[in-house]
Amino acid sequence: AQTKPVAGCIVIMSSEQVLSHTICRNLADRSYDKRKQGALAIEQLVRQLNAAALSEDEHKKSNNNNNKSRHQIKLTINYLVQTFIRSTQANHRKGGLIGLAGVALGLNRDTAWYLDVMLPAVCSLLQDQEARVRYYACESLYNISKVAREHILEHFHRIFEGLCTLLEDPDSNVKEAASLLDRLIKEIVTRSGDQFNLALFIPLLKTYMNNQNPYVRELLLQWIILLNNTPGIELLEYLPEFLDGLFRMLQDDKNEIIKQTEIVLTDFLREISSSVHIDLHPMVLILVAQIEEPQNSENRRSFALVWLHEFLKLGQFKLAKFFPNILVSLLRCFHDNEEQGIRQQAKKTNDELFELVKSYPSYAATQKSSSSSPSSSSASSGASTSAVSAVAASHDYSTDSMVYELLEILRGACKSDYVQTKIEALKFICMMLIHLNLDIRRIEKEKNLKFFPVLLDLLCDRDNNVLEETLRVLSEISVKPQYFDEILVNLLRVFKTRKNLLAVRGKFIVEKLCELLGAEKIYKAMAHEIDAANRQTVSVPISSSLSSASDVDDGKQSVDVAQNSSTSNGQDAAAQADNLEFSSLVVQSLNIILLTADSPFIQNLRDAVQNDAKLFLSLYDAWCYDPISTLSLCLMSKMYALGAKLTVYFANVDITIGFLMQVDKLVNLIESPTFVHLRLELLEPYRNPHLLKIMYGLLMLLPQNHAFNSLRIRLQSASSFGLLQDENINIKNTSSSSSLSSRQKNVSSSNHKEAIDIEKLFEKFVNVQHKFKKQRLKKQETMKIKNRQNQYD
């Protein structure tokens, strides 16, 4: 019979019958037993033909194409495929399947020569519409595989696709048959080892991982476990290809699938940790994608975080180019609505990244050193290490591309709506400022990355932890002298523009800055900036904005003149008025903090004020912008003579409700531990007559309220000891001493024996109060002008 290949088969061109009518009738019968008889007959026939073919090969040494017996076997297989497998009758297809199984049993190990025709034909019926046909197709494939063994691996993709299809089958018998076939194929693969083509299997694995069927997913997991444990098969090398699919399985509806997936992922991670050759790069972004997607399950994201943590430990700076991507994913895990488990694992992973970035200078310096001197003697290793440390400490990483990307991400995170995200971002920035020797101004100039506006906005954050970390960052920036004054000026500007910030958060901010940078340094600098800001403001003479009341009769002309005068100086006058008012509020706040704060840093500052004349003088000029604060400073530093002069001068100050409230507060503070030295000194009025004068001056200023009674009782307690009997003598002596002091240009001696010119200090106070008075009159005049304008309008 003439033949030609069509679709992998040999098609008969003549009508010659290959199989007997009896065999064909039995194969097409409805009875299984009849079909089995036909298959047994085919098995016997093929066995004889195969024996003859082998004999021909041995005696004639002919090739396969000239072997008549082998050709007859091919015709038999082809006839079964064409006549039975492709038949429209279900019984015929069943007969064809059992017939091909008989052929395989007859050929035994020689089945391998005919698999190209047999396997595609059998596999095509694994998706047949008839359940029994699918069952027999599975059975036939089992028998063929059993005899062909490792030779079926060339057709593994067909078999595996068939298995995945059969496991979705609604018929339980088909599923059971598929399970038996699956076990056989696994056994063959396990024994074949390195003959298995993994590169062809991976695309199949990736494709079917998208399948949601639990039976298929279970099959995939079993095969992954099998292949990973089979000697000679390096599945780990292909892990990036299907890692995403494994993580998707962690979100399966079936707990069994999830547990098996967890086991598989844990085993892979253990292998990665012990391997030195695995490339981590292709898997990093896969892990980042698992973490970033909030719709992923907590378990899925937690596993990805665990993997990422381990990758950072293993890869370290080999993964440096992924640090920005990793940081973005981790910061998203700190959102307030995240699960606690996610945040905890993210914190652990973030800490690992934190430490890596912290040590980046050492790594970069080592790389630079090794590239510049590839070979070095052991004798110079110590010197080399020192040189690396020096380079790491001195180098500025402000222009490093990786550092810039991290800073850009962190700056964005500082604007987040989530508290923990902002806190972690600020901690990262603070660390980078310390260890990477960053120059913020250089970053802003060269990279156009503005940090100061973001940090200053965070000073208004409602959360104390965010505020504390912000202050840490600002403190680290201000460590460089060129930024210290700028930050304080900006801080005062924020206090000024955000009216409630000073009242609500001022104490916290000042105390924290004192802790981070030193109380004395902060107070001195702020006092200097307050006084400097008012000195720079242009003074407006009182006469320039005043007009006589008689000018009202001159009508609108007078009003216009006054208006023009007011306009010319309006901006400067407004600026001065704002500065004076703001300076008074800031000094009040700083003074109350100094008097009442429990912070050990502030307590040390209080002690220093009592004993250090230079410190007193550095604060005094700024404190003059608030009368009661100035008096408090004098009491604290035992400058009682100056305090007495100030108290008398209070008669010239506006006695407003606010002023009286401050006096009331000061009297209450006199009862606090801060002024214990003052209360004890009241027992010796002859030595401290100015102190007594201050106390009685305050008593005279107060209305008869609780504070008045408290101070009055305190003074009466001191006098009840009979210590005032020589008061006149003491005052005389003091007066004499004061006259002498006056002749010596009113110079008194501090505890450090440094001359302090009291008159000059008093004059400074009076000048500042004159500024306030001018501004008050200016304000009154402005109101008059407005009233006149309204009157004529």
Side-chain angles (χ1 to χ4, degrees), residues 137-192:
C138 194
E139 185 182 65
S140 178
L141 188 56
Y142 181 92
N143 288 323
I144 294 171
S145 301
K146 192 171 183 179
V147 294
R149 304 302 292 180
E150 69 276 2
H151 298 292
I152 65 162
L153 295 181
E154 294 181 12
H155 305 274
F156 178 81
H157 63 289
R158 295 180 185 275
I159 299 173
F160 190 80
E161 286 177 345
L163 285 172
C164 291
T165 303
L166 293 172
L167 287 173
E168 294 184 87
D169 203 290
D171 189 279
S172 58
N173 291 325
V174 175
K175 284 183 182 178
E176 186 177 351
S179 297
L180 291 172
L181 175 62
D182 178 52
R183 284 200 289 271
L184 175 63
I185 302 300
K186 285 175 181 173
E187 179 192 339
I188 294 170
V189 170
T190 302
R191 294 191 177 186
S192 303

Side-chain angles (χ1 to χ4, degrees), residues 112-398:
W113 292 345
Y114 310 96
L115 287 178
D116 289 345
V117 179
M118 297 172 67
L119 275 179
V122 174
C123 289
S124 68
L125 295 183
L126 292 175
Q127 300 182 45
D128 195 272
Q129 60 184 357
E130 293 284 338
R132 294 306 293 173
V133 173
R134 297 195 298 273
Y135 175 84
Y136 286 122
C138 194
E139 185 182 65
S140 178
L141 188 56
Y142 181 92
N143 288 323
I144 294 171
S145 301
K146 192 171 183 179
V147 294
R149 304 302 292 180
E150 69 276 2
H151 298 292
I152 65 162
L153 295 181
E154 294 181 12
H155 305 274
F156 178 81
H157 63 289
R158 295 180 185 275
I159 299 173
F160 190 80
E161 286 177 345
L163 285 172
C164 291
T165 303
L166 293 172
L167 287 173
E168 294 184 87
D169 203 290
D171 189 279
S172 58
N173 291 325
V174 175
K175 284 183 182 178
E176 186 177 351
S179 297
L180 291 172
L181 175 62
D182 178 52
R183 284 200 289 271
L184 175 63
I185 302 300
K186 285 175 181 173
E187 179 192 339
I188 294 170
V189 170
T190 302
R191 294 191 177 186
S192 303
D194 55 3
Q195 296 182 44
F196 182 75
N197 193 333
L198 198 56
L200 293 178
F201 171 71
I202 296 301
L204 280 175
L205 184 61
K206 285 177 63 178
T207 301
Y208 281 100
M209 275 194 162
N210 296 319
N211 195 307
Q212 301 294 319
N213 188 289
Y215 297 105
V216 174
R217 285 191 161 184
E218 186 175 2
L219 174 74
L220 297 178
L221 289 169
Q222 289 172 358
W223 271 96
I224 290 171
I225 294 170
L226 174 78
L227 294 175
N228 196 41
N229 294 326
T230 301
I233 297 178
E234 298 295 334
L235 185 61
L236 193 61
E237 294 180 8
Y238 295 88
L239 180 58
E241 299 291 326
F242 59 91
L243 183 61
D244 181 66
L246 278 176
F247 273 98
R248 286 201 303 273
M249 287 187 183
L250 287 173
Q251 213 158 336
D252 198 271
D253 295 332
K254 301 290 184 181
N255 287 332
E256 274 303 315
I257 300 295
I258 294 173
K259 289 179 181 178
Q260 286 185 38
T261 307
E262 289 176 354
I263 293 171
V264 169
L265 284 171
T266 303
D267 288 343
F268 273 128
L269 186 58
R270 189 183 299 114
E271 287 185 52
I272 291 170
S273 301
S274 59
S275 174
V276 294
H277 303 295
I278 188 71
D279 184 10
L280 303 178
H281 287 196
M283 293 181 277
V284 174
L285 293 181
I286 295 173
L287 299 176
V288 167
Q290 310 303 319
I291 297 165
E292 284 184 339
E293 181 52 60
Q295 294 181 350
N296 291 344
S297 68
E298 179 184 358
N299 190 36
R300 180 175 173 180
R301 297 174 70 201
S302 292
F303 253 87
L305 285 166
V306 170
W307 272 60
L308 198 54
H309 177 258
E310 192 65 25
F311 274 30
L312 288 171
K313 289 171 64 178
L314 295 170
Q316 298 188 352
F317 292 105
K318 293 177 182 177
L319 304 179
K321 69 177 182 180
F322 298 110
F323 283 179
N325 305 85
I326 294 171
L327 182 61
V328 169
S329 65
L330 294 176
L331 288 173
R332 289 181 182 176
C333 293
F334 293 114
H335 290 183
D336 298 345
N337 55 357
E338 284 289 0
E339 296 291 338
Q340 186 66 22
I342 292 290
R343 280 195 275 179
Q344 288 177 351
Q345 186 57 50
K347 182 69 171 68
K348 186 177 178 182
T349 308
N350 187 64
D351 288 346
E352 187 67 33
L353 179 62
F354 185 96
E355 292 300 322
L356 280 174
V357 176
K358 183 177 177 181
S359 61
Y360 182 66
S362 298
Y363 164 77
T366 304
Q367 292 295 106
K368 186 175 181 181
S369 175
S370 61
S371 62
S372 61
S373 54
S375 59
S376 60
S377 63
S378 58
S380 62
S381 60
S384 177
T385 303
S386 301
V388 167
S389 301
V391 170
S394 61
H395 186 68
D396 181 1
Y397 292 88
S398 303

Side-chain angles (χ1 to χ4, degrees), residues 647-677:
T647 306
V648 173
Y649 184 80
F650 285 169
N652 300 309
V653 176
D654 283 344
I655 307 299
T656 62
I657 293 176
F659 179 86
L660 291 176
M661 289 176 65
Q662 285 193 70
V663 176
D664 189 288
K665 188 176 290 187
L666 176 59
V667 170
N668 288 324
L669 285 172
I670 288 173
E671 300 297 321
S672 70
T674 301
F675 288 109
V676 65
H677 70 278

Side-chain angles (χ1 to χ4, degrees), residues 599-663:
S599 164
F601 306 97
I602 302 294
Q603 289 177 6
N604 292 337
L605 181 62
R606 280 201 295 268
D607 295 339
V609 169
Q610 293 179 20
N611 303 308
D612 189 343
K614 286 185 178 179
L615 179 57
F616 167 78
L617 290 172
S618 64
L619 301 181
Y620 180 81
D621 286 354
W623 258 240
C624 286
Y625 290 92
D626 183 67
I628 300 303
S629 296
T630 312
L631 180 59
S632 300
L633 183 65
C634 291
L635 291 175
M636 202 184 320
S637 58
K638 302 182 182 180
M639 297 296 296
Y640 300 139
L642 178 57
K645 291 176 74 68
L646 296 178
T647 306
V648 173
Y649 184 80
F650 285 169
N652 300 309
V653 176
D654 283 344
I655 307 299
T656 62
I657 293 176
F659 179 86
L660 291 176
M661 289 176 65
Q662 285 193 70
V663 176

Side-chain angles (χ1 to χ4, degrees), residues 349 459 564-565 686 723:
T349 308
L459 291 175
N564 292 334
S565 177
Y686 54 88
L723 298 175

Side-chain angles (χ1 to χ4, degrees), residues 713-764:
I713 293 170
R714 173 67 66 184
L715 293 173
Q716 286 176 352
S717 299
S719 63
S720 65
F721 286 98
L723 298 175
L724 301 179
Q725 56 187 353
D726 295 325
E727 181 180 356
N728 293 330
I729 298 171
N730 293 328
I731 290 178
K732 255 185 209 181
N733 293 336
T734 307
S735 241
S736 171
S737 169
S738 180
S739 299
L740 179 61
S741 177
S742 184
R743 286 194 298 272
Q744 296 175 349
K745 297 184 180 180
N746 295 307
V747 176
S748 66
S749 177
S750 71
N751 292 334
H752 293 290
K753 298 180 180 180
E754 295 181 20
I756 295 179
D757 191 339
I758 291 176
E759 287 301 326
K760 186 176 180 181
L761 295 179
F762 180 69
E763 183 183 352
K764 166 69 178 179

